[in-house]
Amino acid sequence: MIGNSAGQAFMGSFTSAGGRGITAAAVDRDTGALTVLGSTDAVPDPSFLTVGPGGTALYAVGESAPGVAAAFALDGDVPTLLGPVRAVDGDAPTHLALAANHLVTANYTSGGVTALPVLADGSLGAAVSVLQHEGNGPDSGRQEAPHAHQVLADPSGNWVVSVDLGTDSVRVCALDPATGALRLHSETALRPGTGPRHLAFHPSGSLAYVLGELEPTLTVCRWDAAAGRLDVLGETPVLPEHEAADDAARTYPSEVVVAHDGRFLWTANRGHDSISVLTLDESGEKAALVATVGCGGRWPRDLTLDPSGQWLYAANEHSGNVSWFAVDAETGVPRHAGSVEIPAVSCVVLV
């Protein structure tokens, strides 16, 4: 068991590329350091994880074809399966979120989102609905069809938002807590070819920031929770212009994180192998790039801010390590503080 003096971290990885599956670690709250406790490969390619309410359960997607999702109990050093592994009725789920008594997955290859009920003991029931996305984009190699890349509950808890790289759009869905039925409510088109990957909300709950994977851009949007509506306000580059235009070192941004106080925003940039630091004005509507720092490895697939706001973690897939950074409270610029080896790592979640 992990003691009260330490936090917990769980890291997903690609077992098909030599990863250990889900790795558990203790977190030193004073230094940010991770100490590996063990791992489980009970699910293939658990590329993304999320923690249940109260930190008693962990949920994972298996980014396989056909795709799966699973629940894990957290009553020991290493997570243990809680109930059966469930099919998501879609291929290559890359992300997941808890909403309205259900686990919802974003299925990249098949291009839709799936809802599975969370049962009283925290385990998963069989999939009850799939909302298939439609459309495509101008990049024939990456946008030939829908590719749902992220799903999350909005801050009000009334909507499920899905980000689709293939259709250059963000969809807002209603999820019936009784039946798990997913219904498309609205869809917001972003600039064609940007390939939106992930979205993060401002602490106020009234703004959202969408990170492009196919172009290193951040799209700032107003979020109206009452209407379930996302409106584009503008775009900001997440790399210096001369570096963003360097075709020899093309960049594929992966994750966007907003500071708990809404003053800063960070993005992870694969290829450029960096973390970008952007400042947000008082309204949160204007973002400005102020710095980029090395990610402490290669191909940063995920970026996570700890609950205190002091430590930022980068999951560097190709170098097989998780790096942690001390965040400067005045500037928001992260300073590398250490790393731990986690082969083929794809995400970090903290309890």
Side-chain angles (χ1 to χ4, degrees):
M1 294 286 290
I2 298 173
N4 292 331
S5 62
Q8 294 170 285
F10 300 97
M11 290 148 283
S13 66
F14 288 98
T15 55
S16 60
R20 300 168 184 150
I22 299 172
T23 297
V27 183
D28 185 319
R29 294 191 178 102
D30 294 327
T31 66
L34 302 178
T35 300
V36 172
L37 300 172
S39 61
T40 173
D41 60 358
V43 172
D45 290 341
S47 63
F48 218 90
L49 315 172
T50 193
V51 177
T56 59
L58 181 75
Y59 299 90
V61 290
E63 193 173 330
S64 52
V68 298
F72 291 83
L74 298 180
D75 51 6
D77 283 349
V78 177
T80 55
L81 272 177
L82 180 62
V85 176
R86 299 292 191 180
V88 302
D89 297 341
D91 292 340
T94 59
H95 201 265
L96 73 172
L98 292 161
N101 305 318
H102 288 78
L103 184 75
V104 187
T105 67
N107 310 320
Y108 181 82
T109 301
S110 54
V113 295
T114 300
L116 305 94
V118 177
L119 306 181
D121 65 353
S123 65
L124 296 175
V128 290
S129 68
V130 178
L131 181 64
Q132 182 62 40
H133 292 183
E134 297 180 358
N136 53 39
D139 186 329
S140 59
R142 295 292 308 279
Q143 297 182 308
E144 79 295 346
H147 292 303
H149 216 307
Q150 184 199 34
V151 63
L152 69 166
D154 87 298
S156 76
N158 294 327
W159 306 101
V160 172
V161 178
S162 61
V163 182
D164 196 303
L165 182 149
T167 63
D168 289 315
S169 63
V170 178
R171 290 168 173 80
V172 179
C173 304
L175 173 60
D176 187 321
T179 67
L182 286 158
R183 175 181 57 83
L184 180 62
H185 173 74
S186 65
E187 183 174 358
T188 298
L190 305 185
R191 183 164 60 82
T194 52
R197 177 183 174 96
H198 276 200
L199 174 155
F201 286 99
H202 188 273
S204 68
S206 61
L207 295 164
Y209 308 94
V210 187
L211 182 65
E213 175 176 331
L214 301 185
E215 286 192 20
T217 60
L218 184 78
T219 302
V220 181
C221 302
R222 188 180 306 285
W223 170 244
D224 183 339
R229 180 183 174 90
L230 194 72
D231 293 309
V232 173
L233 297 177
E235 283 186 25
T236 300
V238 299
L239 290 179
E241 185 175 353
H242 68 283
E243 296 178 30
D246 184 0
D247 290 335
R250 187 170 177 184
T251 298
Y252 300 90
S254 61
E255 184 61 289
V256 54
V257 173
V258 182
H260 304 318
D261 61 8
R263 295 169 57 215
F264 306 110
L265 179 150
W266 301 274
T267 71
N269 311 306
R270 296 169 300 173
H272 197 259
D273 291 341
S274 65
I275 299 170
S276 293
V277 185
L278 293 88
T279 56
L280 298 173
D281 70 355
E282 190 171 346
S283 71
E285 295 181 2
K286 294 189 181 300
L289 177 65
V290 294
T292 59
V293 299
C295 67
R298 290 184 294 110
W299 210 252
R301 190 180 179 91
D302 189 35
L303 202 60
T304 303
L305 185 67
D306 88 313
S308 74
Q310 295 177 291
W311 304 102
L312 193 64
Y313 295 83
N316 298 311
E317 181 186 352
H318 288 180
S319 53
N321 68 300
V322 173
S323 295
W324 54 92
F325 300 79
V327 176
D328 188 296
E330 297 300 320
T331 66
V333 175
R335 175 182 55 82
H336 187 262
S339 69
V340 65
E341 179 188 357
I342 308 287
V345 65
S346 53
C347 78
V348 180
V349 297
L350 301 169
V351 180

